[in-house]
């Protein structure tokens, strides 16, 4: 799990679960989670009229009309929680990346080069015989320290050591982020460690099965360590109780999205007073870090809960939790039985019939760890400069269209309009890959030491954080792991940078097809570009100015008009049921829903402007606008297991993909014209109820 603050990227990312409400479902079972199967989908990835079900009336269920045939063919693989455009492209990407890793592992390359590091990482990770032979030897010192640690200094030193070896201490972590109110300055940030479950899974009645599986997993691990069954079970219950206490007061996903909730600057002494149980100066000294005058503390209530636990729980319980954390954080990089125990738990928790093949697991870990070296190899072999030029040109068209709409927006007043145009003009959009790669060459990657490779990469990332403290803010592009690296299937807007990264990996079907029908490319990739631009002006992005600083540049009148439209959008999405008794959270997903609506609106308008009023002939029986909206809907083809639906509904800022495939359309006048909807149709929305934000 990345420790990078969520605020750093308002992202278009892997979509969430499917909806069972909204327009009536005409084909029973199409949209529901299905029993897993090893069947491999054979349908074309991306827009195709063959995906449609023309027996469905688009005015009644547009999603089934656009996707019905494809949905019938689409079966969730045994080893996956969901399937859709993102995951199908992700599987294709993994195949491309695995090919690169295998090539690199079979040749000799200069020490420290991307090919050497990628190849040796892959060789070590795939060598289960070596991993089995090593066992727990490399963790013994940390396991022993965790079992006896006591006092603020020892806790601080262990916390830093775990961050430096795994990337995530369960206690506290040092990370950096630009000052929300002065983006030129880097803040050293005190961030709580990630927990094993999401916040709601510790208390939500619907997650009782997850908690039981987790306790069983922890019990089995402790039995494997030599504890008697009753002792192991007691430790597991203690660990769950401690993690539950830590989770309860932490920020909710919606609160963590609010700059006002996470901006807490204080002196070192003030921060230390909140957490006397961990010596912050000792933790900094262990990192060879000179503490600045002021620190950023993201989650005050969560920090107080950690202190309460350290102060009130017996040291033996804290030691049990920390010892467990050492194993849990490393289990997926060990040999057997630890790897099997971890994977069995994850498979059962997610409702899977089988784990991912080892090759895909290794490639995905490689993508997270050596993200720029692997990206360099990917760009050299799989990314076309012609594609980069085409998308860059489309960026200009979408951005120009947004400027035109700002100038004519009927609810903006003059001062806010001028500030919005100034901000838009400064949005820096980059495509494909960075101008400057992060240099990993000093990391010692060995072909026979997988756990050691993980530890050295974690230490490298911590050192990169430490090196930024006290320096002017310099933002590395395409470097948010899991979000914006060139091998992430994603695009992202960073409000503190006022910039957008469009990754190389997303520049292929279903998002972009070189030389394809421009109607399709505009209403897929163009809509992605518009989506990210709109993020600069959504409920969170609007709080940042052109320089990336939190500042209110809105007049009270414009703010009121904006919030009125936000409330309408929240109300629309709150009406959607994902599963019986599980509504979509319109407030949590507001920013992404705003971006979907804005992105599709911008792409449709830019498409027509590039056509210069020309009317294209129908293709496959579909007019220009009809193809546009079908292409958009097919971008969000999706099926998911119930476990995935429930998990994402609680934590994901995005609405589920099936909802995204039809809900934004209902607010577009052009959609209603294209399909001649009328009152009484399920897809109809009264003109007065159609939301236009941007």
């Amino acid at each position: 799990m990345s420790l990078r603050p969520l605020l750093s990227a308002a992202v278009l990312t892997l979509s969430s679960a499917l909806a069972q409400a909204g327009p009536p479902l005409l084909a029973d079972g199409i949209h529901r989670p299905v029993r897993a199967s090893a069947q491999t989908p054979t349908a074309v990835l991306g827009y195709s009229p063959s995906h449609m079900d023309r027996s469905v009336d688009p005015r009644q269920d547009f999603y089934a009309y656009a996707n019905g045939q494809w949905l019938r063919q689409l079966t969730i693989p045994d080893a996956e929680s969901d399937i859709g455009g993102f995951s199908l492209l992700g599987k294709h990407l993994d195949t491309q990346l695995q090919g690169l890793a295998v090539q690199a592992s079979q040749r000799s390359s200069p020490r420290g080069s991307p090919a050497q590091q990628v190849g040796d990482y892959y060789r070590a990770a795939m060598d289960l015989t070596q991993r089995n032979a090593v066992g727990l030897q490399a963790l013994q010192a940390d396991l022993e320290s965790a079992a006896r640690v006591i006092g603020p200094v020892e806790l601080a030193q262990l916390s830093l050591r775990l961050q430096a070896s795994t990337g995530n201490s369960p206690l506290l972590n040092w990370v950096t982020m630009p000052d929300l109110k002065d983006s030129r300055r880097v803040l050293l940030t005190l961030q709580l460690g990630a927990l094993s479950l999401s916040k709601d899974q510790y208390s939500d009645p619907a997650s009782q099965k997850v908690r039981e599986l987790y306790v069983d997993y922890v019990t089995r691990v402790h039995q494997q360590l030599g504890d008697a069954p009753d002792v192991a079970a007691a430790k597991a219950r203690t660990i769950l109780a401690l993690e539950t206490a830590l989770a309860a007061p932490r920020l909710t996903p919606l609160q963590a999205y609010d700059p006002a909730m996470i901006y807490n600057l204080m002196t070192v002494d003030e921060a230390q007073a909140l957490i006397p149980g961990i010596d912050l100066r000792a933790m900094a000294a262990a990192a060879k870090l000179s503490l600045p005058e002021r620190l950023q503390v993201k989650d005050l209530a969560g920090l107080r809960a950690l202190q309460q636990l350290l102060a009130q729980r017996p040291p033996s319980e804290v030691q049990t939790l920390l010892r467990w954390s050492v194993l849990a954080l490393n289990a997926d990089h060990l040999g057997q039985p630890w790897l099997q125990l971890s994977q069995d738990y994850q498979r059962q928790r997610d409702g899977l019939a089988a784990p991912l093949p080892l090759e895909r697991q290794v490639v995905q870990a490689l993508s997270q760890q050596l993200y720029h070296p692997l990206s360099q190899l990917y760009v050299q072999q799989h990314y076309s400069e012609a594609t980069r030029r085409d998308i860059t040109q489309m960026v200009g068209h979408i951005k120009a269209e947004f400027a035109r709409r700002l100038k004519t927006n009927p609810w903006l007043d003059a001062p806010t309009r001028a500030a919005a145009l100034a901000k838009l003009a400064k949005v820096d959009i980059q495509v494909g890959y960075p101008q400057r790669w992060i240099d990993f060459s000093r990391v010692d990657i060995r072909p026979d030491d997988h756990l050691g490779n993980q530890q050295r990469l974690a230490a490298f990332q911590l050192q990169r954080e430490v090196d930024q403290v006290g320096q002017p803010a310099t933002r590395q592009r395409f470097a948010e792991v899991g979000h914006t690296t060139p091998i992430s299937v994603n695009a992202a807007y960073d409000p503190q940078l006022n910039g957008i990264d469009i990754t190389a990996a997303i520049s292929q079907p279903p998002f972009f097809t070189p030389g394809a029908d421009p109607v399709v490319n505009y209403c897929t990739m163009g809509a992605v570009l518009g989506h990210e631009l709109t993020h600069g002006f959504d409920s969170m992005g609007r709080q940042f100015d052109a320089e990336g600083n939190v500042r209110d540049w809105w007049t009270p009148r414009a703010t009121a008009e904006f919030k009125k439209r936000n409330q309408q959008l929240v109300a629309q999405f709150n009406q959607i049921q994902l599963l019986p008794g599980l509504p979509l959270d319109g407030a949590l997903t507001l920013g992404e829903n705003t971006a979907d609506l804005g992105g599709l609106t911008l792409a449709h308008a830019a498409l027509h402007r590039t056509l210069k009023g020309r009317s294209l002939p129908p293709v496959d029986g579909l007019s220009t606008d009809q193809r546009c909206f079908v292409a958009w809907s097919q971008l969000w083809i999706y099926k998911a297991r119930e476990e995935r639906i429930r998990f994402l509904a609680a934590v994901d800022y995005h609405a589920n993909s099936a909802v995204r495939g039809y809900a934004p359309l209902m607010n577009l006048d052009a959609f209603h014209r294209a399909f001649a909807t009328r009152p009484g149709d399920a897809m109809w929305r009264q003109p007065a109820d159609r939301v236009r934000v941007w």
Side-chain angles (χ1 to χ4, degrees), residues 250-306:
R250 289 194 177 190
L251 295 174
T252 66
L254 187 57
Q255 290 171 331
Y257 200 65
D258 182 355
M261 293 293 297
I262 67 168
Y263 190 69
N264 304 292
L265 277 183
M266 57 187 67
T267 66
V268 176
D269 287 340
E270 288 170 336
Q272 186 67 81
L274 291 174
I275 186 73
I278 299 175
D279 190 319
L280 298 182
R281 290 181 171 84
M283 186 174 155
K288 297 181 173 57
L289 169 64
S290 297
L291 286 174
E293 293 182 4
R294 296 169 75 80
L295 303 176
Q296 159 85 342
V297 179
K298 286 186 60 181
D299 190 339
L300 294 175
L303 192 65
R304 294 188 183 102
L306 174 59

Side-chain angles (χ1 to χ4, degrees), residues 480-534:
E480 292 285 346
V481 176
H483 292 319
T484 69
T485 64
I487 49 176
S488 301
V489 180
N490 200 22
Y493 171 77
D494 184 337
Q496 294 177 275
L497 181 66
N498 195 25
I500 296 171
D501 291 343
I502 310 295
T503 71
I506 204 173
S507 307
Q508 53 190 319
F511 297 95
F512 183 79
T513 303
D517 180 356
V519 175
V520 173
N521 276 339
Y522 264 87
C523 295
T524 50
M525 177 55 78
V528 168
L529 302 174
H531 174 108
E532 299 307 334
L533 270 178
T534 304

Side-chain angles (χ1 to χ4, degrees), residues 122-139:
Y122 186 79
R123 289 172 62 190
M126 290 295 296
D127 190 350
L128 282 181
T129 301
Q130 175 68 18
R131 288 166 63 174
N132 293 342
V134 170
L136 295 179
Q137 295 174 27
L139 297 182

Side-chain angles (χ1 to χ4, degrees), residues 465-478:
E465 299 284 349
V466 169
D467 289 346
Q468 294 180 61
V469 177
Q471 302 298 316
T474 56
R475 305 301 302 280
Q476 177 70 49
R477 302 299 291 263
F478 294 93

Side-chain angles (χ1 to χ4, degrees), residues 53-370:
D53 184 352
R54 301 198 195 220
S55 70
V56 176
D57 185 344
R59 298 178 302 185
Q60 304 304 326
D61 187 350
F62 186 76
Y63 188 72
Y65 166 77
N67 297 286
Q69 295 291 357
W70 199 3
L71 283 164
R72 290 190 183 96
Q73 299 172 25
L74 208 58
T75 306
I76 306 172
D78 287 350
E80 299 181 46
S81 298
D82 53 17
I83 190 169
F86 280 90
S87 61
L88 289 170
L89 175 52
K91 184 176 182 179
H92 172 66
L93 177 67
D94 284 352
T95 300
Q96 293 176 316
L97 297 177
Q98 184 187 352
L100 294 171
V102 170
Q103 290 173 15
S105 70
Q106 293 175 343
R107 66 175 187 258
S108 177
S109 300
R111 193 79 188 154
S113 68
Q116 177 269 315
Q117 293 184 313
V118 167
D120 284 351
Y121 182 102
Y122 186 79
R123 289 172 62 190
M126 290 295 296
D127 190 350
L128 282 181
T129 301
Q130 175 68 18
R131 288 166 63 174
N132 293 342
V134 170
L136 295 179
Q137 295 174 27
L139 297 182
Q140 284 301 332
D142 285 343
L143 288 169
E144 292 170 5
S145 294
R148 64 172 186 266
V149 65
I150 192 168
V153 172
E154 288 187 357
L155 284 169
Q157 292 170 340
L158 178 63
S159 185
L160 190 284
R161 191 158 68 250
L162 291 180
Q163 183 183 358
S165 62
T166 68
N168 177 29
S169 163
L171 298 172
L172 295 175
N173 296 271
W174 294 123
V175 300
T176 56
M177 61 182 290
D179 189 329
L180 291 177
K181 295 185 178 180
D182 183 0
S183 60
R184 300 167 300 178
R185 182 173 66 162
V186 172
L187 291 180
L188 182 63
T189 302
L190 197 60
Q191 187 156 298
L192 296 167
L195 298 174
S196 297
L197 306 180
S198 65
K199 175 182 168 71
D200 72 296
Q201 287 178 326
Y202 285 102
S203 56
D204 180 13
S207 298
Q208 179 61 33
K209 178 184 175 183
V210 173
R211 292 191 290 275
E212 291 171 356
L213 287 170
Y214 182 55
V215 168
D216 178 65
Y217 168 46
V218 180
T219 299
R220 287 186 291 121
V221 169
H222 281 89
Q223 286 182 270
Q224 195 67 45
L225 286 169
D227 289 339
D230 58 334
V231 174
K235 288 181 177 178
R237 290 192 295 271
T238 295
I239 288 165
L240 178 65
L242 295 180
E243 291 182 355
T244 301
L246 291 174
R250 289 194 177 190
L251 295 174
T252 66
L254 187 57
Q255 290 171 331
Y257 200 65
D258 182 355
M261 293 293 297
I262 67 168
Y263 190 69
N264 304 292
L265 277 183
M266 57 187 67
T267 66
V268 176
D269 287 340
E270 288 170 336
Q272 186 67 81
L274 291 174
I275 186 73
I278 299 175
D279 190 319
L280 298 182
R281 290 181 171 84
M283 186 174 155
K288 297 181 173 57
L289 169 64
S290 297
L291 286 174
E293 293 182 4
R294 296 169 75 80
L295 303 176
Q296 159 85 342
V297 179
K298 286 186 60 181
D299 190 339
L300 294 175
L303 192 65
R304 294 188 183 102
L306 174 59
Q307 173 55 33
Q308 186 175 21
L309 183 146
L310 295 175
Q312 297 182 2
R313 296 282 188 163
S316 61
E317 291 189 358
V318 176
Q319 292 161 356
T320 295
L321 175 63
L322 291 173
R323 188 166 179 258
W324 158 248
S325 296
V326 172
L327 271 170
L329 290 166
N330 288 284
D332 287 342
H333 305 299
L334 298 171
Q336 307 299 7
W338 318 106
L339 177 62
Q340 188 68 49
L341 289 170
S342 174
Q343 294 192 344
D344 284 348
Y345 160 65
Q346 294 175 56
R347 178 181 55 77
Q348 294 169 22
R349 178 197 63 196
D350 296 337
L352 307 180
L356 280 178
L358 179 63
E359 292 84 353
R360 283 196 72 186
Q361 295 180 45
V362 170
V363 164
Q364 291 178 5
L366 180 55
S367 300
Q368 297 279 312
Q369 299 296 328
L370 283 166

Side-chain angles (χ1 to χ4, degrees), residues 398-625:
I398 299 292
K399 191 173 180 181
E401 190 59 43
F402 201 171
R404 292 185 188 97
R405 293 182 67 82
L406 285 176
K407 290 173 184 176
T408 60
N409 189 302
W411 57 266
L412 277 180
D413 53 28
T416 310
R417 189 189 318 278
L421 285 165
K423 178 174 181 178
L424 177 65
K426 287 195 172 184
V427 176
D428 179 29
I429 305 174
Q430 297 190 17
V431 178
Y433 54 89
Q435 298 173 6
R436 180 173 57 86
W437 296 98
I438 296 172
D439 181 7
F440 279 71
S441 62
R442 69 176 184 271
V443 184
D444 181 17
I445 302 296
R446 304 174 189 173
D448 57 357
D449 184 13
H450 180 53
L451 183 61
N453 289 338
Q454 295 295 129
Q455 293 172 334
R456 289 183 287 275
L457 282 163
F460 171 73
Q461 295 297 348
L462 175 59
Q463 191 61 50
R464 288 190 67 235
E465 299 284 349
V466 169
D467 289 346
Q468 294 180 61
V469 177
Q471 302 298 316
T474 56
R475 305 301 302 280
Q476 177 70 49
R477 302 299 291 263
F478 294 93
E480 292 285 346
V481 176
H483 292 319
T484 69
T485 64
I487 49 176
S488 301
V489 180
N490 200 22
Y493 171 77
D494 184 337
Q496 294 177 275
L497 181 66
N498 195 25
I500 296 171
D501 291 343
I502 310 295
T503 71
I506 204 173
S507 307
Q508 53 190 319
F511 297 95
F512 183 79
T513 303
D517 180 356
V519 175
V520 173
N521 276 339
Y522 264 87
C523 295
T524 50
M525 177 55 78
V528 168
L529 302 174
H531 174 108
E532 299 307 334
L533 270 178
T534 304
H535 268 314
F537 304 85
D538 69 10
S539 55
M540 189 267 280
R542 66 175 287 271
Q543 299 180 59
F544 293 78
D545 64 16
E547 308 304 324
N549 299 319
V550 172
R551 181 176 66 83
D552 188 359
W553 47 270
W554 294 64
T555 65
R557 175 190 162 195
T559 296
E561 290 288 343
F562 178 83
K563 289 184 176 180
K564 180 174 71 174
R565 286 158 177 78
N566 277 197
Q567 290 162 2
Q568 290 176 299
L569 211 54
V570 169
Q572 285 181 6
F573 283 84
N574 278 343
Q575 295 173 7
I576 297 170
Q577 293 285 315
L578 303 176
L579 293 168
L582 181 65
L584 194 153
D585 189 336
L588 176 63
T589 58
L590 173 60
E592 297 297 332
N593 296 334
T594 303
D596 277 350
L597 176 57
L600 184 54
T601 300
L602 288 168
H604 176 261
L607 167 65
H608 280 278
R609 194 167 300 279
T610 61
L611 295 176
K612 299 178 180 177
R614 289 183 293 118
S615 179
L616 297 179
V619 177
D620 301 311
L622 299 172
S623 70
T624 295
D625 280 0

Side-chain angles (χ1 to χ4, degrees), residues 34-54:
V34 296
R35 184 179 62 81
S37 167
Q39 173 183 338
T40 300
T42 57
V44 175
L45 180 58
Y47 171 80
S48 172
S50 67
H51 298 330
M52 301 171 64
D53 184 352
R54 301 198 195 220

